[in-house]
Amino acid sequence: MSRNPVFIAWDAAFADASLAIRQQRYAQALAVLRPLIGDAARKAKQWPPYRHALAGYALALYRHGEVNEALLQQSRLLLLTPNDAEARGNLLLLLQTEAIEFPDSAEFRRVLHGVLSQTELSDYAVPACRALLADAAFRQALRRLRGDDAEVVTALRQGRLRPLLQAPLLQLLLRNTLIPQPDFELALRRLRKALLMHYTADPHRPPQTGKADWDFIAALAQYQWLTEYAFAEDPEESQRLAALALQLQAGRDRPAEPAWQAALTYFALYRSGLELTDSRSLFCQSAVSWKPHLQALIREWQACLRERTLAATVERLTDIADPVSEQVRRQYEEHPFPRWRQDPQARQVQSAGQWLRGLAPDLALSADFDGDVAVLTAGCGTGLEPISLTRQIRIGRYLALDLSRASLSYALRMAGELGLRDRIDFKQADLTRLDGYPERFDLITASGVLHHLAEPLHGWRILCNLLKPGGVMLVSLYSEAARRPVAAARQLIAANGWQAEPDRMRQLRQAILAGDYPELAPLLQWRDFYNLGMFRDLVFHPCEHRYTLPQIAAQLRQLNLRFIAMRGLPPALNALYHADYPHDPNGSDLANWASFEARHPNAFRSMYGLLLQKPPP
């Protein structure tokens, strides 16, 4: 049977457009594909290359600078091929284009929800919020939250906030990631209060709540858990919450009752269920059937209870005698950092040499790096770095140390859940007490620990002594330039004698959100601002040192370490550096980086990431 002559013509046109794309003649490709895509849409099921043509059309639009149209076409492609990994990746790339405009389209938001539900969300929370704000009904509901308390409760009761409460994309964000958007936090705080006031208006006749509303309330409660209850609360909220806590305590022998679980859901908007008496027996009863909307939050609390048991099993390698180390330990016992949730993706395991050369192509390494290396992580926190590295490179021995048992128990739990418990040796230790430790390591990482020591150079020298000749060290340090807003906040805190107490930290956050300290407004751009433990780490830390690159260069000379490369920078900043310094293709000149930072003072907001090497024997 002969083919449809129309399809034959389309095949030829698609071949011409594909050649134009390969030759980077995007305008020509668009001229061919634009009518083709429009005509072929009606016969997409009959013309096999249609999806490939649509993918090429979206790519040509993107390369030609027509990013808004590219986004629409990419979403059309994902409606046809929702499991296409390349199409999902291309949509994620488009989301991070700053100038992009999101369509007010329920269909687009469904596609976006499907893509983000399979993605680590932290890098996409801001564009997802922008996509939500493109929805006119969502924006109107958000505006209603600017009224006084009575007006917001009335809007809630009358169902005028439903476009917000029933937005699947918002619930996805609330359950999975921090939302670093001041306007969203202020709105969610007002909504939280309205929910509590509505529920507690008549203790004897709580309002009827549908499944969709329960799903949102539980998602907002889970978000409070993710933020470590960072939102401020006013006296009226505290009073109503205290009454709710008494109700829960009185009925804690009947946790399976729907009324008790309903009260718990509202309580969890402000406090962890672990604050209730006998929380272990409450939340670890196998006989209790938890409502579906509560199950994810109950699993979080159960995991935390398991960590408390694991903490007693952590082995101590050294004592903790330094006063500053003891202060730091206490902070991280109260707020293990960071509370990561996304499973680091298992990648194809390679040698440490291959992995390191991927970071610095000109790095000269001994043959030892092609085998099983010995790795030390000083200040492993909650275990994200050791677990991630173990899933990427071949390791014979991994020693991961931290001051905090709470952080280490989190690491132990996550390593156990991922089947890595026997491959990483987590121990409690003070880096400053490792003088004389007998082991030597091929690779040492210290990501954000040295600048919290009383004497960072002393701790750094100890690590150098533990590194084999020719070994590699990955060190992260705070930048003086990038952390100017942090330094300003620390000065304000010291001048007022404020302590790192939860209520005081919430009050300061609220004051910054309200604009009471304009000089601290840049902190609103830091993701750390939106979690109470991370906010404490950001501005209330008991000890912080900041550096300039010339200072680091001087210390490297004292330590006899060679700077190899900067790591961890976003691709756009790396591209900017290489455009400015084409004669330094590997980025191995620290003086160039100092000049670069002088022009881009916020470049190292996430810290300097230094790849260093000890001279070979």
Side-chain angles (χ1 to χ4, degrees):
M1 182 182 295
S2 61
R3 291 192 68 217
N4 186 323
V6 173
F7 288 174
I8 295 172
W10 287 352
D11 288 342
F14 177 45
D16 290 343
S18 299
L19 177 62
I21 290 173
R22 289 195 298 273
Q23 295 176 346
Q24 301 181 23
R25 293 181 286 112
Y26 301 116
Q28 183 177 342
L30 290 173
V32 174
L33 286 172
R34 189 169 279 117
L36 179 62
I37 291 298
D39 291 342
R42 296 189 301 274
K43 299 183 178 179
K45 292 182 179 179
Q46 288 81 32
W47 186 49
Y50 176 74
R51 295 178 183 181
H52 299 291
L54 185 57
Y57 184 46
L59 174 62
L61 285 165
Y62 173 67
R63 297 295 188 190
H64 198 245
E66 299 181 43
V67 291
N68 295 328
E69 184 64 21
L71 184 68
L72 288 173
Q73 299 303 329
Q74 199 67 51
S75 64
R76 282 182 60 199
L77 177 62
L78 281 161
L79 283 172
L80 296 171
T81 58
N83 297 318
D84 186 327
E86 183 177 2
R88 289 201 307 269
N90 288 337
L91 184 75
L92 293 173
L93 181 67
L94 284 164
L95 290 182
Q96 295 187 313
T97 306
E98 290 186 9
I100 205 159
E101 296 176 8
F102 292 94
D104 185 359
S105 160
E107 188 176 77
F108 170 75
R109 286 187 289 275
R110 282 197 299 273
V111 169
L112 183 58
H113 181 277
V115 170
L116 292 182
S117 63
Q118 303 176 63
T119 305
E120 204 291 307
L121 281 169
S122 59
D123 291 335
Y124 302 100
V126 172
C129 288
R130 291 173 56 205
L132 283 167
L133 291 172
D135 179 356
F138 185 93
R139 287 200 310 275
Q140 186 177 21
L142 210 60
R143 282 195 294 270
R144 296 187 191 281
L145 293 173
R146 298 174 187 168
D148 62 31
D149 290 342
E151 290 172 335
V152 176
V153 172
T154 298
L156 176 67
R157 187 181 297 118
Q158 294 177 348
R160 286 182 282 164
L161 300 181
R162 203 159 297 283
L164 192 153
L165 271 63
Q166 295 186 0
L169 186 56
L170 178 60
Q171 288 194 32
L172 181 70
L173 294 175
L174 291 174
R175 288 192 179 277
N176 290 284
T177 191
L178 298 176
I179 303 174
Q181 294 285 280
D183 290 347
F184 270 71
E185 174 165 333
L186 292 169
L188 291 171
R189 185 185 170 218
R190 299 296 307 281
L191 180 55
R192 181 183 71 161
K193 181 177 181 180
L195 288 164
L196 179 68
M197 293 176 67
H198 181 49
Y199 179 75
T200 58
D202 184 348
H204 303 292
R205 295 183 62 189
Q208 294 295 314
T209 305
K211 178 186 180 303
D213 289 342
W214 277 128
D215 287 343
F216 176 82
I217 296 164
L220 183 56
Q222 192 162 2
Y223 186 67
Q224 301 310 309
W225 170 260
L226 289 180
T227 69
E228 299 187 56
Y229 304 95
F231 289 13
E233 64 187 60
D234 63 27
E236 183 176 11
E237 290 171 285
S238 299
Q239 182 180 1
R240 295 194 181 213
L241 191 66
L244 197 57
L246 289 175
Q247 177 186 337
L248 287 167
Q249 292 292 138
R252 66 180 181 273
D253 59 335
R254 302 183 302 278
E257 291 188 359
W260 194 91
Q261 293 193 21
L264 176 66
T265 308
Y266 280 89
F267 179 79
L269 290 170
Y270 289 83
R271 300 284 188 276
S272 164
L274 301 180
E275 294 188 15
L276 298 173
T277 305
D278 299 328
S279 60
R280 182 173 296 278
S281 61
L282 269 175
F283 300 117
C284 295
Q285 291 185 46
S286 58
V288 176
S289 178
W290 296 101
K291 294 291 185 182
H293 67 266
L294 266 175
Q295 289 174 6
L297 193 53
I298 297 297
R299 286 195 295 271
E300 298 272 11
W301 294 343
Q302 290 171 340
C304 195
L305 290 168
R306 289 197 298 275
E307 289 164 26
R308 293 178 182 179
T309 301
L310 284 170
T313 70
V314 174
E315 182 182 343
R316 175 178 282 194
L317 187 64
T318 75
D319 61 355
I320 302 171
D322 181 81
V324 170
S325 295
E326 176 56 25
Q327 285 183 291
V328 174
R329 183 197 67 79
R330 285 201 299 269
Q331 170 173 322
Y332 293 123
E333 297 292 6
E334 295 172 18
H335 293 280
F337 181 84
R339 281 190 171 274
W340 58 283
R341 304 171 80 246
Q342 189 72 20
D343 176 6
Q345 293 298 310
R347 305 176 187 176
Q348 183 176 359
V349 177
Q350 56 188 324
S351 71
Q354 290 172 309
W355 181 73
L356 287 167
R357 290 186 192 97
L359 301 176
D362 64 337
L363 183 59
L365 297 169
S366 70
D368 292 345
F369 284 88
D370 295 324
D372 293 341
V373 293
V375 182
L376 166 67
T377 290
C380 69
T382 51
L384 178 57
E385 183 177 45
I387 288 172
S388 180
L389 269 180
T390 300
R391 303 183 91 184
Q392 293 182 69
I393 64 176
R394 293 198 296 272
I395 295 171
R397 157 76 164 149
Y398 205 134
L399 178 62
L401 308 176
D402 200 81
L403 291 167
S404 161
R405 283 180 178 269
S407 295
L408 289 164
S409 63
Y410 191 103
L412 284 168
R413 176 177 68 83
M414 295 301 286
E417 290 177 3
L418 297 171
L420 302 173
R421 179 64 190 88
D422 296 331
R423 296 178 58 187
I424 307 170
D425 189 9
F426 290 104
K427 284 187 168 61
Q428 185 183 32
D430 183 351
L431 163 58
T432 66
R433 309 291 288 181
L434 288 176
D435 259 337
Y437 188 70
E439 283 191 79
R440 295 296 179 266
F441 299 88
D442 302 288
L443 174 63
I444 294 179
T445 73
S447 300
V449 64
L450 293 173
H451 48 225
H452 291 318
L453 299 179
E455 298 181 34
L457 187 59
H458 173 64
W460 204 347
R461 186 169 283 114
I462 289 173
L463 291 182
C464 286
N465 291 336
L466 297 175
L467 187 64
K468 295 178 182 178
V472 173
M473 186 179 291
L474 305 177
V475 172
S476 297
L477 297 169
Y478 288 147
S479 159
E480 183 73 61
R483 288 180 74 86
R484 285 170 185 159
V486 174
R490 291 177 63 83
Q491 290 170 5
L492 176 69
I493 290 164
N496 286 278
W498 293 334
Q499 300 300 310
E501 299 164 349
D503 284 344
R504 163 47 59 196
M505 292 191 289
R506 292 186 188 107
Q507 290 165 9
L508 178 57
R509 289 186 73 259
Q510 183 59 33
I512 296 171
L513 282 163
D516 295 347
Y517 299 107
E519 70 277 17
L520 302 186
L523 293 177
L524 297 173
Q525 301 173 27
W526 296 60
R527 189 171 182 270
D528 296 25
F529 180 87
Y530 297 88
N531 171 284
L532 197 65
M534 293 164 71
F535 181 68
R536 180 177 182 178
D537 191 76
L538 184 66
V539 298
F540 277 92
H541 202 286
C543 181
E544 173 174 311
H545 299 271
R546 297 174 297 277
Y547 294 84
T548 67
L549 286 172
Q551 288 172 339
I552 290 174
Q555 295 199 2
L556 293 181
R557 287 192 292 272
Q558 292 184 55
L559 297 166
N560 194 26
L561 288 173
R562 177 189 167 211
F563 173 74
I564 302 296
M566 202 69 75
R567 63 185 294 261
L569 282 178
L573 274 175
N574 264 325
L576 201 58
Y577 176 87
H578 292 306
D580 288 350
Y581 301 97
H583 57 283
D584 183 21
N586 296 320
S588 57
D589 190 324
L590 206 53
N592 286 346
W593 283 108
S595 299
F596 180 80
E597 185 179 30
R599 295 193 301 280
H600 308 282
N602 291 319
F604 297 100
R605 194 168 71 179
S606 63
M607 295 189 286
Y608 298 120
L610 309 169
L611 195 159
L612 312 166
Q613 187 173 35
K614 189 174 186 176

